[in-house]
Amino acid sequence: MRFAFAGIDFLGDVFETLLAKGWEPVKLFSRPCDSIYDFNDITVARARALRLPVQTSRIHPADLAGLKAMGCEALVVAGYPWLIKGWERHLPYAVNFHPSPLPMGRGPYPLFQAILDELPEWGMTVHVLEPAFDTGAIVTQKRFSLNGTERHDTLLAKCQIAAKEISLQLADHLPRLWAEARPQGPGTYWPRITQAQRTVDWSGSIRDVLRTIRAFGSIEAFAQIDSRYIYVWEATGWQEPHRYRPGTLVHRHRKHMVVAARDGFIQVTGWSPYAPGPARGS
Protein backbone atom coordinates (compact mmCIF):
# COMPACT_ATOMS: atom_id res chain seq x y z
CA MET A 1 0.00 0.00 0.00
CA ARG A 2 1.26 3.47 -0.90
CA PHE A 3 1.32 5.68 2.20
CA ALA A 4 2.48 8.95 3.71
CA PHE A 5 3.73 9.15 7.28
CA ALA A 6 3.23 12.13 9.58
CA GLY A 7 5.25 11.96 12.77
CA ILE A 8 8.55 12.07 14.65
CA ASP A 9 10.93 9.58 16.27
CA PHE A 10 8.52 9.19 19.23
CA LEU A 11 6.64 6.57 17.18
CA GLY A 12 9.09 6.24 14.32
CA ASP A 13 9.02 2.45 14.64
CA VAL A 14 5.54 2.55 13.09
CA PHE A 15 7.11 4.00 9.94
CA GLU A 16 9.83 1.35 9.97
CA THR A 17 7.35 -1.48 10.54
CA LEU A 18 5.20 -0.47 7.58
CA LEU A 19 8.29 -0.23 5.40
CA ALA A 20 9.39 -3.69 6.52
CA LYS A 21 5.97 -5.06 5.61
CA GLY A 22 6.35 -3.79 2.05
CA TRP A 23 4.28 -0.63 2.20
CA GLU A 24 5.52 1.97 -0.29
CA PRO A 25 6.19 5.45 1.15
CA VAL A 26 5.49 8.57 -0.89
CA LYS A 27 6.14 11.42 1.56
CA LEU A 28 7.10 12.26 5.16
CA PHE A 29 5.39 15.01 7.13
CA SER A 30 7.16 15.95 10.34
CA ARG A 31 7.56 18.99 12.56
CA PRO A 32 10.36 21.04 14.13
CA CYS A 33 11.76 19.36 17.27
CA ASP A 34 13.79 20.77 20.15
CA SER A 35 16.19 17.78 20.31
CA ILE A 36 15.69 17.81 24.08
CA TYR A 37 12.30 16.19 24.59
CA ASP A 38 11.31 15.63 20.95
CA PHE A 39 13.40 14.29 18.08
CA ASN A 40 12.86 13.64 14.39
CA ASP A 41 16.41 13.20 13.12
CA ILE A 42 16.17 9.41 12.68
CA THR A 43 12.83 9.52 10.88
CA VAL A 44 13.87 12.40 8.63
CA ALA A 45 17.20 10.73 7.82
CA ARG A 46 15.38 7.53 6.91
CA ALA A 47 13.00 9.39 4.62
CA ARG A 48 15.84 11.22 2.90
CA ALA A 49 17.71 7.96 2.41
CA LEU A 50 14.59 6.73 0.62
CA ARG A 51 14.59 9.98 -1.43
CA LEU A 52 11.17 10.96 -0.12
CA PRO A 53 9.95 14.55 -0.01
CA VAL A 54 10.03 15.83 3.58
CA GLN A 55 7.73 18.58 4.85
CA THR A 56 8.04 20.05 8.36
CA SER A 57 5.19 22.54 8.11
CA ARG A 58 1.52 21.91 8.75
CA ILE A 59 -0.47 19.76 6.32
CA HIS A 60 -2.87 21.87 4.23
CA PRO A 61 -5.57 20.84 1.71
CA ALA A 62 -3.13 21.31 -1.17
CA ASP A 63 -0.79 18.78 0.45
CA LEU A 64 -3.60 16.24 0.66
CA ALA A 65 -4.43 16.82 -2.99
CA GLY A 66 -0.74 16.28 -3.73
CA LEU A 67 -0.84 12.92 -1.98
CA LYS A 68 -3.78 11.89 -4.13
CA ALA A 69 -1.82 12.83 -7.24
CA MET A 70 1.02 10.59 -6.00
CA GLY A 71 -1.36 7.64 -5.76
CA CYS A 72 -1.21 7.66 -1.96
CA GLU A 73 -3.77 5.34 -0.36
CA ALA A 74 -3.19 5.91 3.37
CA LEU A 75 -2.02 8.68 5.66
CA VAL A 76 -0.53 7.30 8.88
CA VAL A 77 -0.15 9.82 11.71
CA ALA A 78 1.97 9.11 14.80
CA GLY A 79 3.25 11.97 16.93
CA TYR A 80 2.06 14.83 14.74
CA PRO A 81 0.66 17.88 16.62
CA TRP A 82 -1.57 19.55 14.03
CA LEU A 83 -5.18 18.67 13.28
CA ILE A 84 -5.66 17.29 9.77
CA LYS A 85 -9.00 17.98 8.07
CA GLY A 86 -10.50 17.22 4.70
CA TRP A 87 -8.50 14.11 3.91
CA GLU A 88 -11.67 12.19 2.94
CA ARG A 89 -11.81 13.86 -0.48
CA HIS A 90 -8.33 12.67 -1.35
CA LEU A 91 -7.45 9.41 0.43
CA PRO A 92 -9.17 6.09 1.17
CA TYR A 93 -7.62 5.81 4.64
CA ALA A 94 -6.22 8.11 7.32
CA VAL A 95 -5.40 6.90 10.82
CA ASN A 96 -3.72 8.22 13.96
CA PHE A 97 -1.70 6.35 16.59
CA HIS A 98 -2.63 7.72 20.01
CA PRO A 99 -0.83 6.62 23.23
CA SER A 100 -3.87 5.91 25.37
CA PRO A 101 -6.67 3.33 25.66
CA LEU A 102 -9.22 5.55 23.92
CA PRO A 103 -11.76 6.88 24.61
CA MET A 104 -9.86 7.52 27.87
CA GLY A 105 -6.97 9.97 27.69
CA ARG A 106 -7.64 12.07 24.63
CA GLY A 107 -5.24 14.96 24.47
CA PRO A 108 -1.68 15.99 23.56
CA TYR A 109 0.39 13.64 25.77
CA PRO A 110 -1.49 11.64 28.41
CA LEU A 111 1.36 9.41 29.67
CA PHE A 112 2.32 11.64 32.61
CA GLN A 113 -1.24 11.74 33.90
CA ALA A 114 -1.63 7.97 33.63
CA ILE A 115 1.15 7.55 36.21
CA LEU A 116 0.03 10.46 38.39
CA ASP A 117 -3.41 8.81 38.56
CA GLU A 118 -1.86 5.38 39.31
CA LEU A 119 -3.93 3.65 36.65
CA PRO A 120 -3.69 -0.15 36.58
CA GLU A 121 -3.95 -0.39 32.77
CA TRP A 122 -2.99 1.62 29.72
CA GLY A 123 -2.90 1.14 25.97
CA MET A 124 -2.15 2.26 22.42
CA THR A 125 -4.94 2.98 19.94
CA VAL A 126 -5.19 3.46 16.19
CA HIS A 127 -8.24 5.49 15.23
CA VAL A 128 -9.76 7.07 12.15
CA LEU A 129 -8.80 10.73 11.69
CA GLU A 130 -11.72 13.04 12.46
CA PRO A 131 -12.06 16.84 12.58
CA ALA A 132 -11.63 16.73 16.39
CA PHE A 133 -8.53 15.36 18.13
CA ASP A 134 -8.52 11.68 19.12
CA THR A 135 -12.26 11.07 18.59
CA GLY A 136 -12.39 8.85 15.50
CA ALA A 137 -13.60 5.28 15.38
CA ILE A 138 -11.16 2.73 16.82
CA VAL A 139 -9.43 0.71 14.12
CA THR A 140 -7.31 -1.40 16.49
CA GLN A 141 -6.10 -1.18 20.06
CA LYS A 142 -3.72 -2.94 22.44
CA ARG A 143 -4.03 -2.70 26.22
CA PHE A 144 -1.40 -3.63 28.79
CA SER A 145 -1.04 -3.58 32.56
CA LEU A 146 0.84 -1.01 34.63
CA ASN A 147 2.49 -1.58 38.00
CA GLY A 148 2.97 0.41 41.17
CA THR A 149 6.51 1.44 40.23
CA GLU A 150 5.76 2.55 36.66
CA ARG A 151 7.94 5.38 35.34
CA HIS A 152 7.40 7.62 32.35
CA ASP A 153 10.22 5.88 30.53
CA THR A 154 8.86 2.37 31.05
CA LEU A 155 5.36 3.46 30.07
CA LEU A 156 6.71 5.13 26.94
CA ALA A 157 8.56 1.92 26.02
CA LYS A 158 5.39 -0.12 26.53
CA CYS A 159 3.48 2.26 24.27
CA GLN A 160 6.15 2.08 21.59
CA ILE A 161 6.24 -1.73 21.68
CA ALA A 162 2.44 -1.84 21.46
CA ALA A 163 2.54 0.59 18.52
CA LYS A 164 4.88 -1.73 16.63
CA GLU A 165 2.58 -4.69 17.31
CA ILE A 166 -0.57 -2.99 16.11
CA SER A 167 1.20 -1.47 13.10
CA LEU A 168 1.78 -5.06 11.99
CA GLN A 169 -1.97 -5.63 12.20
CA LEU A 170 -2.53 -2.45 10.24
CA ALA A 171 -0.08 -3.48 7.56
CA ASP A 172 -1.74 -6.86 7.04
CA HIS A 173 -5.40 -6.05 7.55
CA LEU A 174 -6.12 -2.32 7.15
CA PRO A 175 -9.16 -2.66 4.84
CA ARG A 176 -10.83 -5.18 7.15
CA LEU A 177 -9.96 -3.31 10.34
CA TRP A 178 -11.21 -0.09 8.76
CA ALA A 179 -14.53 -1.69 7.84
CA GLU A 180 -14.90 -3.04 11.38
CA ALA A 181 -13.86 0.18 13.17
CA ARG A 182 -16.08 0.92 16.16
CA PRO A 183 -17.17 4.39 17.32
CA GLN A 184 -15.58 5.55 20.55
CA GLY A 185 -18.59 7.09 22.23
CA PRO A 186 -18.12 9.47 25.19
CA GLY A 187 -14.55 9.89 26.40
CA THR A 188 -12.22 12.01 28.49
CA TYR A 189 -9.88 14.77 27.34
CA TRP A 190 -6.67 15.31 29.30
CA PRO A 191 -5.09 18.74 28.72
CA ARG A 192 -1.37 19.31 28.60
CA ILE A 193 0.30 18.87 31.97
CA THR A 194 0.89 22.03 34.01
CA GLN A 195 4.09 23.19 35.68
CA ALA A 196 2.39 22.79 39.06
CA GLN A 197 1.68 19.11 38.33
CA ARG A 198 5.30 18.66 37.30
CA THR A 199 6.64 20.23 40.51
CA VAL A 200 7.51 18.11 43.56
CA ASP A 201 5.41 18.97 46.62
CA TRP A 202 7.60 18.10 49.60
CA SER A 203 4.63 18.51 51.96
CA GLY A 204 3.14 15.40 50.41
CA SER A 205 3.81 11.83 51.45
CA ILE A 206 6.83 9.81 50.33
CA ARG A 207 4.51 7.98 47.96
CA ASP A 208 3.22 11.22 46.45
CA VAL A 209 6.70 12.68 45.95
CA LEU A 210 8.10 9.56 44.32
CA ARG A 211 5.04 9.22 42.09
CA THR A 212 5.60 12.74 40.73
CA ILE A 213 9.25 11.99 40.00
CA ARG A 214 8.38 8.65 38.37
CA ALA A 215 5.65 10.25 36.27
CA PHE A 216 8.18 12.44 34.45
CA GLY A 217 11.27 10.22 34.51
CA SER A 218 13.92 11.45 32.10
CA ILE A 219 11.66 14.34 31.07
CA GLU A 220 12.34 15.53 34.64
CA ALA A 221 10.24 17.00 37.42
CA PHE A 222 10.87 20.41 39.01
CA ALA A 223 11.80 20.70 42.69
CA GLN A 224 12.80 23.39 45.16
CA ILE A 225 15.26 22.46 47.90
CA ASP A 226 15.67 25.27 50.40
CA SER A 227 15.91 28.24 47.99
CA ARG A 228 17.37 26.32 45.05
CA TYR A 229 15.43 25.03 42.03
CA ILE A 230 16.56 21.82 40.36
CA TYR A 231 15.46 19.26 37.77
CA VAL A 232 14.98 15.72 39.13
CA TRP A 233 14.76 12.39 37.30
CA GLU A 234 15.75 9.80 39.93
CA ALA A 235 15.04 9.42 43.65
CA THR A 236 14.20 6.89 46.37
CA GLY A 237 12.71 7.36 49.80
CA TRP A 238 11.77 5.92 53.16
CA GLN A 239 9.25 6.66 55.87
CA GLU A 240 10.59 7.95 59.18
CA PRO A 241 9.18 10.36 61.78
CA HIS A 242 11.08 13.66 61.97
CA ARG A 243 10.76 17.34 62.87
CA TYR A 244 12.20 18.89 59.72
CA ARG A 245 10.18 21.29 57.61
CA PRO A 246 9.25 19.57 54.32
CA GLY A 247 11.70 20.59 51.59
CA THR A 248 14.64 20.96 54.01
CA LEU A 249 17.98 19.64 52.81
CA VAL A 250 18.83 17.23 55.64
CA HIS A 251 21.98 15.60 54.31
CA ARG A 252 24.25 15.70 51.30
CA HIS A 253 27.01 13.38 50.11
CA ARG A 254 28.65 14.35 46.83
CA LYS A 255 25.70 14.78 44.42
CA HIS A 256 23.19 12.80 46.48
CA MET A 257 20.81 14.90 48.57
CA VAL A 258 18.39 13.79 51.28
CA VAL A 259 15.31 16.01 51.57
CA ALA A 260 12.55 15.95 54.16
CA ALA A 261 9.03 15.10 53.05
CA ARG A 262 5.92 14.99 55.23
CA ASP A 263 6.36 11.44 56.51
CA GLY A 264 10.02 10.65 55.80
CA PHE A 265 12.96 11.39 53.56
CA ILE A 266 13.68 11.44 49.84
CA GLN A 267 17.18 10.73 48.56
CA VAL A 268 17.60 12.59 45.27
CA THR A 269 20.21 10.77 43.20
CA GLY A 270 19.53 12.04 39.67
CA TRP A 271 19.25 15.80 39.31
CA SER A 272 20.69 18.87 37.65
CA PRO A 273 20.62 22.60 38.43
CA TYR A 274 20.27 23.33 34.72
CA ALA A 275 17.40 23.14 32.30
CA PRO A 276 17.47 20.00 30.15
CA GLY A 277 19.54 20.29 27.02
CA PRO A 278 21.95 18.41 24.75
CA ALA A 279 24.99 20.13 26.30
CA ARG A 280 23.98 19.62 29.94
CA GLY A 281 26.78 18.24 32.09
CA SER A 282 26.55 15.33 34.48
Side-chain angles (χ1 to χ4, degrees), residues 195-217:
Q195 183 164 331
Q197 290 174 294
R198 193 175 164 187
T199 300
V200 172
D201 179 5
W202 299 111
S203 66
S205 67
I206 295 294
R207 177 176 175 175
D208 292 338
V209 170
L210 292 179
R211 182 173 62 246
T212 298
I213 295 169
R214 287 190 291 102
F216 296 95

Side-chain angles (χ1 to χ4, degrees), residues 199-200 202 222-230 246-248 259:
T199 300
V200 172
W202 299 111
F222 302 122
Q224 182 179 0
I225 301 176
D226 291 332
S227 60
R228 184 182 193 183
Y229 286 92
I230 64 171
T248 300
V259 184

Side-chain angles (χ1 to χ4, degrees), residues 23-93:
W23 280 33
E24 184 180 351
V26 299
K27 187 170 182 177
L28 171 69
F29 298 93
S30 191
R31 62 174 173 85
C33 292
D34 59 17
S35 297
I36 300 171
Y37 300 125
D38 293 322
F39 304 84
N40 68 357
D41 51 304
I42 295 174
T43 305
V44 168
R46 181 72 161 121
R48 286 178 173 157
L50 295 169
R51 301 186 181 279
L52 299 179
V54 175
Q55 178 175 322
T56 57
S57 58
R58 184 170 185 165
I59 296 174
H60 291 291
D63 300 312
L64 297 169
L67 292 181
K68 181 178 181 179
M70 295 178 189
C72 182
E73 300 166 89
L75 173 61
V76 178
V77 181
Y80 188 76
W82 295 302
L83 194 61
I84 301 169
K85 296 182 180 181
W87 61 268
E88 297 90 343
R89 298 191 298 274
H90 306 286
L91 303 168
Y93 308 106

Side-chain angles (χ1 to χ4, degrees), residues 1 4 26 44 47-48 59 74 80 126 132 143-144 146 161 176 183-184 197 199 219 232 240-241 247 255 266:
M1 183 170 290
V26 299
V44 168
R48 286 178 173 157
I59 296 174
Y80 188 76
V126 176
R143 291 174 177 253
F144 47 83
L146 304 183
I161 292 169
R176 177 178 63 79
Q184 288 189 37
Q197 290 174 294
T199 300
I219 302 298
V232 180
E240 181 180 334
K255 283 204 70 176
I266 300 290

Side-chain angles (χ1 to χ4, degrees), residues 162-177:
K164 284 192 288 187
E165 292 179 6
I166 59 180
S167 61
L168 288 170
Q169 299 174 25
L170 206 70
D172 291 335
H173 307 294
L174 176 56
R176 177 178 63 79
L177 293 171

Side-chain angles (χ1 to χ4, degrees), residues 6 8 33 38 59-60 85 125 131 139 174 223 234 251 254 271 278 281:
I8 60 174
C33 292
D38 293 322
I59 296 174
H60 291 291
K85 296 182 180 181
T125 306
V139 176
L174 176 56
E234 188 70 51
H251 174 71
R254 299 178 69 84
W271 64 276

